[in-house]
Amino acid sequence: MLESVAGHIEAAAVPTHTVADLTWPEAGERAAAGAILAVPVGATEQHGPHLPLSTDTDVAAELCARLAARRPDVLVAPAIPYGASGEHAGFAGTLSIGQAALELLIVELCRSATDTFDRILLVNWHGGNLEPLRRAETLLHSESRDVHVYVPRYQGDLHAGRAETAVQLALAPDKVRVERAEAGDVRPLPELLPLLRANGVRAISANGVLGDPAGASAAEGDALLDHLTTDLLDRTRLWWPVASPERTGT
């Protein structure tokens, strides 16, 4: 029985870039070889009437997976699907844990993770997570833990507009309700930010969109993902130069 199971497992290609798919000795071997643990940090929140609540988590996880595919010393942790999404309160389905809880979660997770891995990369996609992530990063650095937060930089709509719609079309077109896509508030960020902080998204955009998804395409999404992956790879190399082109361990 065990022999047949072992044969089946051997035949299946277990993704070696995903830490949750490893056993504890295998994870230890990868850590001893210098693996970086990349943690996708997302959210479960409204993204207009046309994008899934998982959008931020989907994109963060994809960036980590792409980084691991191009950098052999990266392992990807399970994504954190909850964030500080209080500005999206009032939209059905939004699940926010708030800034204090997210900060504590990140601090405790990284304290635990650094028992095994010397280097931790937090890849964030939701803007509302930035302040607690930065506070957590500062505290962890004060404890001599090697933790860095990656924040993507790109030109595009603020929320659920053309950029995020294009990326989701590239990742999972079946999750995009194209027929429901519509423009929201299209004012620039400097004008919207004070209103967002004071009143939240619901007060300025009835459909939850900050931008206009019109014209979004999977090709545009692929191009943006390529740009972001290159940027993530470059930023990560600045923090931790690549030691070896060969993947080691399991």
Side-chain angles (χ1 to χ4, degrees):
M1 176 66 178
L2 287 176
E3 290 180 359
S4 63
V5 171
H8 176 73
I9 292 174
E10 186 176 349
V14 178
T16 57
H17 67 273
T18 305
V19 71
D21 289 332
L22 303 177
T23 64
W24 74 261
E26 291 167 347
E29 290 169 6
R30 295 292 298 274
I36 298 165
L37 184 67
V39 184
V41 184
T44 300
E45 64 180 38
Q46 73 83 19
H47 272 74
H50 64 296
L51 294 181
L53 299 168
S54 64
T55 293
D56 287 341
T57 308
D58 293 344
V59 181
E62 177 68 13
L63 290 176
C64 287
R66 287 178 175 231
L67 176 66
R70 295 178 62 178
R71 180 160 175 163
D73 57 350
V74 171
L75 280 174
V76 181
I80 298 173
Y82 304 115
S85 301
E87 71 274 21
H88 296 284
F91 290 95
T94 294
L95 303 176
S96 175
I97 61 174
Q99 291 199 9
L102 178 62
E103 181 180 349
L104 179 60
L105 186 156
I106 293 297
V107 167
E108 294 300 333
L109 176 64
C110 289
R111 283 172 174 167
S112 173
T114 51
D115 283 345
T116 302
F117 301 96
D118 291 334
R119 303 176 292 179
I120 311 295
L121 173 66
L122 302 167
V123 177
N124 176 60
W125 187 256
H126 171 50
N129 293 342
L130 185 54
E131 290 184 14
L133 282 171
R134 289 302 189 200
R135 290 195 297 268
E137 182 184 39
T138 298
L139 175 58
L140 291 161
H141 284 176
S142 75
E143 297 175 350
S144 299
R145 301 179 197 274
D146 197 357
V147 177
H148 286 280
V149 175
Y150 172 76
V151 180
R153 299 169 292 185
Y154 67 96
Q155 298 295 319
D157 292 341
L158 185 59
H159 183 78
R162 179 166 175 161
E164 285 194 313
T165 301
V167 168
Q168 195 61 273
L169 283 170
L171 293 181
D174 57 311
K175 295 171 72 172
V176 181
R177 284 65 163 175
V178 178
E179 71 283 359
R180 297 182 183 178
E182 58 187 24
D185 195 313
V186 296
R187 286 177 288 178
L189 178 59
E191 188 175 346
L192 287 177
L193 199 53
L195 300 173
L196 285 172
R197 286 176 172 165
N199 304 305
V201 176
R202 189 75 182 183
I204 61 176
S205 177
N207 65 5
V209 178
L210 301 176
D212 186 354
S217 68
E220 182 180 355
D222 276 325
L224 179 53
L225 285 168
D226 286 344
H227 164 75
L228 291 169
T229 301
T230 299
D231 182 56
L232 175 56
L233 189 62
D234 290 343
R235 297 273 295 283
T236 307
R237 281 173 174 159
L238 288 176
W239 295 322
W240 304 298
V242 178
S244 171
E246 300 269 342
R247 197 182 285 276
T248 58
T250 299

